[in-house]
Amino acid sequence: EAQVTQNPRYLITVTGKKLTVTCSQNMNHEYMSWYRQDPGLGLRQIYYSMNVEVTDKGDVPEGYKVSRKEKRNFPLILESPSPNQTSLYFCASRTGPGTGGYEQYFGPGTRLTVT
Amino acid sequence: EDKVVQSPLSLVVHEGDTVTLNCSYEVTNFRSLLWYKQEKKAPTFLFMLTSSGIEKKSGRLSSILDKKELFSILNITATQTGDSAIYLCAVEAGWGAQKLVFGQGTRLTINP
């Protein structure tokens, strides 16, 4: 089954304690992205990656890091989480340009609370 | 700064009504506009629009894009309680990169 998986699904942590949210897709997609969703603000793109070792900042990259060492994985790293990073996070993937269509597959979401 | 604005932010109607959701945008190098439906989990894809005036249709849902006036509408006819969700509009923009800008979403509630 084609899917994007994220782990953990729920996480409560304390300020300053480094954490990683994993994201993996089994569709051989080139493009992967991370979003955060906050009430009244919709989804905002944090980082995206166009292929292995190619990443770029989205609209709200501050406080986050990413890496893309393998095509299927795109982890989101919070080196020193702060309460304003409490949010619902989605990972997404899709095929690259020229392949037609644009169905972006979203993971199930990770609800992060930083106290 | 790229911007996507949806209206209304919230809408409550009765089952059987027809609704129109709006999405306007101001972005650099527009590529496409997408609509998503979000229930209690991840957004699911509805439509992608790239050309003005061509209606996309799926069952009771339809959408159209106006690239001159920079907006799109999503219509839902004969609404059902299962249509209750947040509807998200997103615009793919920018140069050679996968930049996707989302609107705030419209929370649609269908009462029986």
Side-chain angles (χ1 to χ4, degrees), chain A residues 64-84:
Chain A
Y64 304 95
K65 283 174 57 177
V66 293
S67 69
R68 188 94 181 271
K69 294 183 168 37
E70 304 165 281
K71 199 171 187 180
R72 63 183 292 127
N73 295 324
F74 190 42
L76 179 70
I77 303 153
L78 284 73
E79 294 270 3
S80 183
S82 61
N84 65 13

Side-chain angles (χ1 to χ4, degrees), chain A residues 25-101:
Chain A
Q25 50 96 2
N26 62 0
M27 295 165 280
N28 202 36
H29 285 167
E30 288 88 359
Y31 284 8
M32 298 185 75
S33 292
W34 275 104
Y35 299 88
R36 59 178 289 174
Q37 186 173 31
D38 302 289
L41 296 176
L43 280 102
R44 292 179 292 168
Q45 195 172 41
I46 303 171
Y47 269 95
Y48 58 90
S49 169
M50 289 172 282
N51 216 321
V52 175
E53 302 292 2
V54 182
T55 63
D56 207 347
K57 296 176 182 178
D59 290 322
V60 288
E62 295 77 21
Y64 304 95
K65 283 174 57 177
V66 293
S67 69
R68 188 94 181 271
K69 294 183 168 37
E70 304 165 281
K71 199 171 187 180
R72 63 183 292 127
N73 295 324
F74 190 42
L76 179 70
I77 303 153
L78 284 73
E79 294 270 3
S80 183
S82 61
N84 65 13
Q85 292 178 298
T86 293
S87 188
L88 178 60
Y89 291 86
F90 288 104
C91 179
S93 77
R94 72 169 180 95
T95 54
T99 54

Side-chain angles (χ1 to χ4, degrees), chain A residues 37 45 59 94 102 104 107, chain B residues 38 42 48 98-100:
Chain A
Q37 186 173 31
Q45 195 172 41
D59 290 322
R94 72 169 180 95
Y102 194 123
Q104 179 159 242
Chain B
Q38 185 178 24
M48 179 178 77
Q98 190 207 2
K99 183 179 168 74
L100 199 60

